[in-house]
Amino acid sequence: MKRIFVLFLPVFLLSAAVLAQPGGFQRQTAEERVAAIHAKLDSAFKTDPAKLAVLDTALTVLFKQQEEKMREMFASGVRPDRETMMAERKKYTDARDEMIKAVLKEEEFVIWKEKIEPSMYPQRPQGGGFNRNRDN
């Protein structure tokens, strides 16, 4: 009996550890993205709540339009080419930046773009650990 217990305890612990791990990457909703931007702007610059409320509404509409556009692009079943997707994302990013720029002062916007925004979107590793460009 002890032998069976000793054999199954590590298996049980390992399976419990695997099941406790979070699932795969899940996209944030438009509201979650707006809330993150709102929190960062408010904590960093103490922005006027009325301006932030208007910005929240505008960003929510923009992010929902972006989600819908991406859904349309993938709905055909054929993955769009990278350039098309990047151009589409750039349009929405530029629109978002213009909205934020309207709320912040010029020097605050520079701080936003250089320091705060990059920290909001950490870079995920690319390629799954296989280095195709490695010289052998």
Side-chain angles (χ1 to χ4, degrees):
M1 183 68 175
K2 285 183 182 179
R3 208 179 282 173
I4 293 172
F5 180 73
V6 170
L7 288 173
F8 282 107
L9 182 64
V11 172
F12 174 75
L13 291 175
L14 182 63
S15 63
V18 168
L19 292 174
Q21 298 302 316
F25 176 74
Q26 185 169 354
R27 290 193 183 276
Q28 291 180 318
T29 64
E31 291 79 11
E32 290 170 336
R33 293 170 66 190
V34 170
I37 290 173
H38 180 108
K40 291 284 188 174
L41 289 174
D42 192 37
S43 67
F45 305 116
K46 304 294 183 223
T47 309
D48 178 33
K51 286 182 178 181
L52 281 179
V54 171
L55 178 65
D56 289 352
T57 304
L59 286 175
T60 301
V61 169
L62 179 73
F63 289 150
K64 285 185 178 188
Q65 287 175 349
Q66 182 180 19
E67 288 172 0
E68 184 59 35
K69 182 64 175 179
M70 290 299 158
R71 203 172 292 120
E72 285 175 16
M73 290 174 76
F74 284 97
S76 67
V78 177
R79 184 182 173 113
D81 64 292
R82 185 176 191 279
E83 289 76 28
T84 304
M85 286 179 52
M86 294 302 287
E88 214 41 57
R89 284 193 176 127
K90 179 150 178 40
K91 285 194 295 190
Y92 287 105
T93 301
D94 292 345
R96 183 205 61 202
D97 287 348
E98 288 301 316
M99 290 175 187
I100 293 173
K101 191 184 282 188
V103 172
L104 298 177
K105 297 175 188 145
E106 187 64 37
E107 58 273 1
E108 291 175 338
F109 184 73
V110 170
I111 293 169
W112 165 260
K113 285 302 282 181
E114 292 177 357
K115 295 190 169 126
I116 299 170
E117 184 187 28
S119 71
M120 292 183 66
Y121 309 107
Q123 295 295 319
R124 290 177 293 203
Q126 301 289 320
F130 178 68
N131 189 354
R132 296 173 203 212
N133 298 326
R134 199 172 104 190
D135 294 332
N136 284 340

